């Protein structure tokens, strides 16, 4: 059996790995480089129980466990570690009082204070997302998978478009027994080829600094009040390689069709850096190693689309993971591999993520500007 996976982000790489474990031939078709988009530019924060109370909880709990198992079992290093997580309140307009039982580290500014312990080494962890995605793909390739550089431009069908026969890559047919759409926010392109709920991309900016966080590693979720009273939510992740990643400034620019054309809103990285300097002054002055922009994939009800697409045999989708794609990549890959090879899942119930729960648009209703 050959499965073609469209998109080489964390979701595509994870599906390829778990299919390869089942001796299925997996081919990942990637247009612009593995982990070139959100899967290489995300924070990489993982939480055991932050999805509890939502339909995502079983997927997230399974995936948190799988991250730990993969880090121990695959013999590769992608910066996985457990860490504590703090909630910080910061303001450019007023002094913030510390909670007495939670002293603020000396490196935080006087305009900020720790207000809550949000996670411990039992419940929160991190990976470096690009390294994790590349390691999953490398492990898949060790088991027989391969990456094909190219742009998916269509699907092949038979039997009056009720059976998928493969994909079209840069105008050439590539045969497959099953096809998975895992192109993150670009999965919207697949709406030109078959009926699919709408997928959108939400833009975010991030910075990676060369800087060391003193003491034991602590992720920070900051509620920041700017001079004009607007609220922002920067997230800060110190990494084991002596860098610190910060995201939390959304953007306005629409998703370009070509992933290599993703770029920042004017001045966005300077604004993010100025915000950081208000709550962690030495970090705000540190050397910037990377100024990044990416889009997280979302669908209407905030839950991912994971499963078969009704009406056409052999076609599946796995996208819309929003802020939890790095966390939920492994369990998505595991469940998709099981679904494709056996027709059902035992690890995680995928019914809450069935694409059929949302209204789909027919291809003729979709117009996307040419790349
Ligand atoms: C700023 C930010 C911070 C985040 N932080 C976290 C976090 O801390 N923890 C967490 O769990 N999640 C986080 N996320 C969410 C996470 O990054 C995403 O949910 C996840 O990366 C989505 O992965 P994906 O594989 O679906 O899509 P993507 O990573 O977007 O990959 C899709 C791939 O498809 C390729 N592609 C596009 N068009 C085509 C085509 N026509 N043919 C072939 N290939 C194509 C692209 O080049 C791309 O490589 C964050 C997201 C953002 C934006």
């Amino acid at each position: 059996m050959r499965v073609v996976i469209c998109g080489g982000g964390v979701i595509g790489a994870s599906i390829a790995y778990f299919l390869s474990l089942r001796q299925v031939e997996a081919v990942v078709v990637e247009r612009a480089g593995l982990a070139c988009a959100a899967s290489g530019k995300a924070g990489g924060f993982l939480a055991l129980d932050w999805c509890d109370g939502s339909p995502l909880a079983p997927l997230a709990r399974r995936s948190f466990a799988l991250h730990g198992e993969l880090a121990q079992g695959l013999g590769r290093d992608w910066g996985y570690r457990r860490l504590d997580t703090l909630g910080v309140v910061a303001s450019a307009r007023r002094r913030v009082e510390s909670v007495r039982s939670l002293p603020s580290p000396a490196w935080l500014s006087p305009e900020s204070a720790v207000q809550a312990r949000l996670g411990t080494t039992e419940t929160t962890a991190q990976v470096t997302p690009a390294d994790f995605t590349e390691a999953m793909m490398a492990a898949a390739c060790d088991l027989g998978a391969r990456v094909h550089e190219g742009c998916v431009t269509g699907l092949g069908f038979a039997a009056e478009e009720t059976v998928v026969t493969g994909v079209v890559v840069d105008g050439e047919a590539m045969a497959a027994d099953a096809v998975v759409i895992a192109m993150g926010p670009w999965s919207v392109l697949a709406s030109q080829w078959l009926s699919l709920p709408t997928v959108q991309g939400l833009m975010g900016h991030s910075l990676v600094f060369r800087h060391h966080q003193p003491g034991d590693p602590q992720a920070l979720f900051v509620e920041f009040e700017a001079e004009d009273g607007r609220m922002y939510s920067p997230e800060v992740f110190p990494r084991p390689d002596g860098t610190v990643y910060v995201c939390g400034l959304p953007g306005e620019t629409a998703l370009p069709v070509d992933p290599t054309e993703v770029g920042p809103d004017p001045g966005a990285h300077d604004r993010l850096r100025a915000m950081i300097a208000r709550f962690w002054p030495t970090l705000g002055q540190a050397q910037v190693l990377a100024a990044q922009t990416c889009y997280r994939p979302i669908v209407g009800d905030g839950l991912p689309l994971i499963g078969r697409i009704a009406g056409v045999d052999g076609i599946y989708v796995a996208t819309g993971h929003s802020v939890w794609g790095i966390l939920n990549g492994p369990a998505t890959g595991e469940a998709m591999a099981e679904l494709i090879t056996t027709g059902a899942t035992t690890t995680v119930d995928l019914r809450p993520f069935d694409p059929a729960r949302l209204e789909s648009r027919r291809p003729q209703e979709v117009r996307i500007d040419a790349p």
Side-chain angles (χ1 to χ4, degrees):
M1 182 185 202
R2 178 201 262 188
V3 180
V4 169
I5 300 154
C6 309
V10 70
I11 302 301
S14 298
I15 295 169
Y17 172 71
F18 283 99
L19 279 172
S20 302
L21 282 182
R22 290 173 174 263
Q23 282 92 44
V24 172
E25 182 190 354
V27 181
V28 170
V29 182
E30 167 53 51
R31 171 178 182 163
L34 281 178
C36 68
S39 299
K41 294 173 178 141
F45 179 75
L46 315 174
L48 170 70
D49 52 4
W50 289 23
C51 298
D52 282 4
S54 101
L56 277 176
L59 186 75
R61 283 182 167 268
R62 175 69 189 152
S63 224
F64 189 83
L66 279 174
H67 269 287
E69 286 171 26
L70 290 164
Q72 289 225 309
L74 275 192
R76 297 169 198 265
D77 179 13
W78 49 81
Y80 175 86
R81 68 178 174 186
R82 301 291 187 100
L83 79 177
D84 288 330
T85 301
L86 303 176
V88 170
V89 172
S91 175
R93 287 154 51 110
R94 63 190 168 91
R95 200 182 166 84
V96 180
E97 294 301 320
S98 257
V99 173
R100 197 180 292 268
S101 59
L102 292 170
S104 294
W107 38 268
L108 280 181
S109 76
E111 296 164 313
S112 54
V114 174
Q115 298 273 302
R117 183 174 298 284
L118 302 177
T120 67
T121 52
E122 296 298 307
T123 58
T124 53
Q126 69 177 153
V127 296
T128 302
D131 296 351
F132 175 65
T133 302
E134 281 163 17
M136 289 298 278
M137 196 63 232
C141 290
D142 287 349
L143 294 166
R146 67 185 172 91
V147 180
H148 180 97
E149 281 177 36
C151 179
V152 180
T153 53
L155 297 173
F157 294 103
E160 297 183 343
E161 305 212 341
T162 59
V163 179
V164 79
T165 56
V167 293
V168 181
V169 181
D170 297 317
E172 302 269 321
M174 179 186 280
D177 301 296
V179 172
V180 184
I181 306 294
M183 300 190 294
W186 293 278
S187 301
V188 65
L189 298 174
S191 294
Q192 298 170 112
W193 315 322
L194 77 172
S195 288
L196 195 68
T198 304
V199 182
Q200 290 178 299
L202 279 192
M203 187 190 200
H205 300 91
S206 57
L207 291 167
V208 181
F209 296 92
R210 184 184 300 287
H211 198 60
H212 178 70
Q213 185 191 57
D216 291 335
Q218 294 170 321
L220 309 179
F221 283 73
V222 183
E223 285 171 40
F224 178 78
E225 182 186 37
E227 281 93 342
D228 62 4
R230 295 223 303 223
M231 297 301 297
Y232 295 90
S233 304
E235 299 173 5
V236 182
F237 307 118
R239 289 180 170 162
D241 62 357
T243 63
V244 178
Y245 170 100
V246 188
C247 64
L249 193 68
E252 304 286 335
T253 309
L255 180 79
V257 171
D258 182 345
T260 63
E261 289 177 3
V262 170
D265 284 355
H269 289 116
D270 290 342
R271 290 202 299 283
L272 180 58
R273 187 176 178 136
M275 192 193 306
I276 293 162
R278 299 304 292 251
F279 61 84
W280 186 349
T282 55
L283 181 63
Q285 288 153 20
Q287 182 191 0
V288 173
L289 298 177
Q292 308 177 132
T293 309
C294 62
Y295 292 78
R296 60 187 159 93
I298 55 158
V299 295
D301 62 0
L303 296 175
L305 301 175
I306 312 174
R308 271 197 64 218
I309 298 175
V312 184
D313 281 351
I315 182 98
Y316 301 81
V317 64
T319 191
H321 290 74
S322 188
V323 295
W324 289 122
I326 308 299
L327 168 64
N328 288 328
T332 299
E334 182 187 49
M336 282 296 292
E338 200 184 5
L339 180 69
I340 292 168
T341 51
T342 70
T345 60
T346 54
T347 52
V348 175
D349 181 2
L350 292 180
R351 278 174 297 183
F353 317 123
D354 185 347
R357 75 187 187 275
L358 295 170
E359 196 183 336
S360 289
R361 290 184 304 167
R362 294 196 313 280
Q364 55 268 38
E365 295 171 328
V366 178
R367 190 187 157 275
I368 292 156
D369 292 333

